[in-house]
């Protein structure tokens, strides 16, 4: 090319770097110019002087064209970037953020893009419609086969009283109120029957409410300093000396109403079981009791402020169903996603001879120990008796959703088919258009 040797003087602070470009008759030197050596700057800061020595053409530097100068500068910059060390005086050089030249990072991987034509879209619409409508019908039939009884007892009144239990609890917290409710089952509830409680306008999905718990504490690892997520339900006193177990807003708001069910037709109580109502994974993994005696292990801890019983007294019948492994507590600690929800509360004991086939139709009496107030946030409470199917409880929404989606797909398929048949161009017309266009000069 042009001149065979260059000398490039650059301002490089601190340190002096000398670079030799080993060609047949060329060399390049990088030398620092005078400046403040105390400043810790790394990298190539400026190019001050470029001098071209006489090479193959033996031309003076003044006679070299601007294009040659530009080429020389580019070559010298490449030489310097290759020979420059990664660190200068212990300081790391900035690394390039340019992605590597790979097929993945440069987005050159092979891809498949479907071609949406009438021959592929229309069969898909018809197939979805043909499959979804029968599935939705089966889901709806399965949901309707479930027997369910729902009773709203939010404003129930005690026997012989004029004021509702909700008003009594709201004005006098801590007062017990007993409601007696008579109802009739019009159909036989065969197979397994479950008792639920339902709440409305109750936002368990609030971010701070969901976080307000101490998982280490629920695993039986007690600490005098609860998690900060439990505040303001972490300590029982203002001086923060007595911790609460279990702490947090979720545990503090544990549903506390109690139910007793009696069959007037059989003249005996309906046996209710409090076990096996929580998820097995929760019972066996997420909730554990501390070793030893539960009351002794919880010495120095206080029960939640809204509770009326201690943690080791939640189940007076089954002593093993107490502490952090109490299944009512476990069910409540699994927060609901929507403000209207129901939670499993009891199971009917079908081992009894009178109830082995389920709950038969007839008259029943429900006694409610009313202690949980919901009227402050305009909520409601419901007592629910229900059977189940292989898909769970009664829920017609899924069946309706499948039927609606299938019907819409069938309708769209028919509309698009009509448009395709009436408005699409024939192959003959397209070929004639190509022939006319190709015959033009």
């Amino acid at each position: 090319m042009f001149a065979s040797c260059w000398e490039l003087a650059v301002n490089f602070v601190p340190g002096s770097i000398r670079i030799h470009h080993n060609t047949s008759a060329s060399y390049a030197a990088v030398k620092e110019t005078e400046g403040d050596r105390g400043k810790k700057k790394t990298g190539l800061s400026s190019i001050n002087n470029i001098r071209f020595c006489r090479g193959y053409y033996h031309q003076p530097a003044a006679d070299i064209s601007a294009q040659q100068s530009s080429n020389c500068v580019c070559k010298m910059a490449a030489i310097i970037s290759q020979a420059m060390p990664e660190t200068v005086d212990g300081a790391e050089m900035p690394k390039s953020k340019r992605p590597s030249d790979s097929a993945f990072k440069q987005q050159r991987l092979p891809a498949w893009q479907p071609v949406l034509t009438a021959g592929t879209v229309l069969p898909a619409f018809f197939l979805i419609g043909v499959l979804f409508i029968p599935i939705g019908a089966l889901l709806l039939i399965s949901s309707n086969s479930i027997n369910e009884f729902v009773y709203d007892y939010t404003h129930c009144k005690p026997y012989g009283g004029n004021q509702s239990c909700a008003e009594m609890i709201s004005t006098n917290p801590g007062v017990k109120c007993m409601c007696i409710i008579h109802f009739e089952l019009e159909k036989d509830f065969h197979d397994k029957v479950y008792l639920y409680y339902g709440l409305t306008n109750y936002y368990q999905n609030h971010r701070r409410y969901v976080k307000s718990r101490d998982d280490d504490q629920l695993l039986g690892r007690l600490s005098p300093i609860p998690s900060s997520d439990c505040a303001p339900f972490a300590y029982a006193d203002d001086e923060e000396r007595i911790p609460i177990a279990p702490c947090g807003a979720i545990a503090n708001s544990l549903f506390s109403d109690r139910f007793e069910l009696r069959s007037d037709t059989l003249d005996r109580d309906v046996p209710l079981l409090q076990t096996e109502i929580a998820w097995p994974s929760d019972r066996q993994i997420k909730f554990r009791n501390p070793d030893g005696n539960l009351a002794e292990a919880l010495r120095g801890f206080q029960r939640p402020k809204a509770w009326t019983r201690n943690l080791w007294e939640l189940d007076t019948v089954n002593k093993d169903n107490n502490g952090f492994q109490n299944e009512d507590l476990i069910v409540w600690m699994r927060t609901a996603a929507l403000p209207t929800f129901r939670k499993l509360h009891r199971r009917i004991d079908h081992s009894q001879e009178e109830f082995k086939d389920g709950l038969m139709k007839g008259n029943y009496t429900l006694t409610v120990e009313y202690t949980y107030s919901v009227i402050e946030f305009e909520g409601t409470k419901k007592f629910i008796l229900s059977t189940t199917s292989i898909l769970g409880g009664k829920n017609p929404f899924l069946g309706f959703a499948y039927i609606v989606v299938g019907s819409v797909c069938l309708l769209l398929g028919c509309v698009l088919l009509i448009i395709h048949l009436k408005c699409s161009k024939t192959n003959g017309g397209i070929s004639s258009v190509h022939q006319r266009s190709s015959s033009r000069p």
Side-chain angles (χ1 to χ4, degrees):
M1 293 292 293
F2 51 95
S4 61
C5 61
W6 304 272
E7 181 177 357
L8 178 63
V10 297
N11 180 17
F12 192 79
V13 181
S16 176
I17 302 176
R18 188 171 301 277
I19 304 172
H20 296 279
H21 181 57
N22 295 323
T23 60
S24 60
S26 65
Y27 74 93
V30 178
K31 187 177 181 181
E32 69 170 1
T33 59
E34 306 223 352
D36 186 4
R37 294 179 178 270
K39 297 180 180 178
K40 291 187 177 181
K41 298 169 60 178
T42 59
L44 190 60
S45 61
S46 63
I47 300 178
N48 294 333
N49 297 303
I50 300 177
R51 291 189 298 131
F52 295 86
C53 300
R54 295 186 179 183
Y56 295 127
Y57 297 110
H58 305 284
Q59 297 178 0
D63 295 341
I64 298 177
S65 66
Q67 181 64 31
Q68 291 175 332
S69 299
S70 177
N71 293 337
C72 179
V73 171
C74 293
K75 288 187 177 183
M76 289 306 301
I79 295 171
I80 293 171
S81 63
Q82 293 176 2
M84 187 175 294
E86 294 184 356
T87 60
V88 178
D89 289 346
E92 294 184 358
M93 293 292 293
K95 295 182 179 180
S96 174
K97 295 183 179 179
R98 180 179 179 181
S100 60
D101 187 15
S102 62
F104 176 76
K105 292 186 177 180
Q106 297 298 331
Q107 300 184 8
R108 294 195 301 267
L109 292 174
W112 175 76
Q113 183 177 0
V115 179
L116 300 179
T117 62
T120 58
V121 174
L122 291 178
F125 274 112
F126 286 115
L127 181 63
I128 292 174
V130 170
L131 290 179
F132 274 40
I133 291 178
I135 293 175
L138 292 176
L139 292 175
L140 200 57
I141 293 172
S142 176
S143 177
N144 292 334
S145 65
I146 297 174
N147 294 322
E148 187 175 88
F149 173 80
V150 181
Y151 187 90
D152 189 333
Y153 70 97
T154 307
H155 300 284
C156 69
K157 297 180 180 180
Y159 182 76
N162 297 324
Q163 190 179 24
S164 67
C165 285
E167 296 172 347
M168 294 176 58
I169 296 298
S170 179
T171 55
N172 299 306
V175 175
K176 291 185 179 180
C177 183
M178 304 296 293
C179 285
I180 298 178
I181 302 168
H182 300 279
F183 65 93
E184 179 184 1
L185 292 182
E186 299 178 353
K187 296 186 296 184
D188 293 336
F189 282 38
H190 293 289
D191 298 329
K192 295 182 179 180
V193 182
Y194 299 91
L195 189 156
Y196 301 83
Y197 60 85
L199 298 175
T200 62
N201 204 33
Y202 199 115
Y203 289 84
Q204 274 198 319
N205 57 357
H206 192 280
R207 180 179 60 86
R208 290 193 63 188
Y209 185 89
V210 172
K211 290 177 58 179
S212 186
R213 58 189 292 165
D214 188 347
D215 290 322
D216 286 338
Q217 195 180 71
L218 297 175
L219 285 170
R221 298 194 287 263
L222 299 176
S223 172
I225 303 177
S227 172
S228 58
D229 292 334
C230 289
F233 301 99
Y235 296 93
D237 56 339
D238 297 334
E239 291 80 12
E240 297 185 353
R241 291 180 298 180
I242 304 177
I244 292 176
C247 68
I250 308 178
N252 186 73
S253 59
L254 174 67
F255 185 81
S256 56
D257 285 358
R258 295 180 177 272
F259 305 101
E260 292 181 3
L261 188 61
R262 182 177 180 82
S263 173
D264 297 335
T265 305
L266 299 176
D267 193 22
R268 63 164 298 173
D269 293 336
V270 178
L272 302 176
L273 297 176
Q274 193 176 348
T275 57
E276 296 184 13
I277 59 175
W279 290 17
S281 59
D282 289 348
R283 296 197 310 264
Q284 301 168 7
I285 299 174
K286 293 186 177 181
F287 295 83
R288 308 296 299 172
N289 283 331
D291 296 332
N293 184 269
L294 191 58
E296 291 295 329
L298 291 171
R299 186 183 299 274
F301 291 84
Q302 193 71 21
R303 68 189 182 196
K305 299 177 182 179
W307 286 21
T308 58
R309 298 187 180 188
N310 292 314
L311 186 60
W312 59 88
E313 298 173 338
L314 295 179
D315 191 347
T316 57
V317 178
N318 184 4
K319 298 299 182 181
D320 295 331
N321 189 33
N322 279 312
F324 298 112
Q325 291 184 303
N326 177 262
E327 297 204 27
D328 283 335
L329 175 63
I330 295 174
V331 170
W332 182 256
M333 294 296 291
R334 180 170 285 276
T335 55
L338 300 175
T340 299
F341 59 89
R342 63 176 62 180
K343 291 181 181 286
L344 182 59
H345 188 59
R346 294 291 183 269
R347 297 185 300 116
I348 306 298
D349 187 3
H350 296 290
S351 62
Q352 303 289 335
E353 182 65 26
E354 295 83 354
F355 304 100
K356 65 179 182 179
D357 296 327
L359 285 181
M360 301 297 104
K361 61 182 179 180
N363 296 321
Y364 291 85
T365 300
L366 175 67
T367 303
V368 181
E369 184 180 333
Y370 200 115
T371 60
Y372 200 76
S373 180
V374 296
I375 62 173
E376 288 81 5
F377 51 89
E378 300 179 354
T380 61
K381 297 189 294 184
K382 296 178 181 179
F383 166 82
I384 304 167
L385 287 173
S386 177
T387 59
T388 60
S389 68
I390 191 173
L391 299 175
K394 192 179 187 68
N395 185 14
F397 172 77
L398 192 60
F400 284 123
Y402 268 87
I403 293 175
V404 169
V405 172
S407 301
V408 170
C409 287
L410 280 180
L411 180 62
L412 287 176
C414 294
V415 171
L416 293 176
L417 180 60
I418 295 173
I419 294 174
H420 174 66
L421 294 176
K422 287 190 174 183
C423 302
S424 61
K425 295 181 180 180
T426 61
N427 293 333
I430 295 175
S431 60
S432 63
V433 169
H434 286 298
Q435 291 175 1
R436 287 196 298 269
S437 60
S438 61
S439 62
R440 292 180 181 177

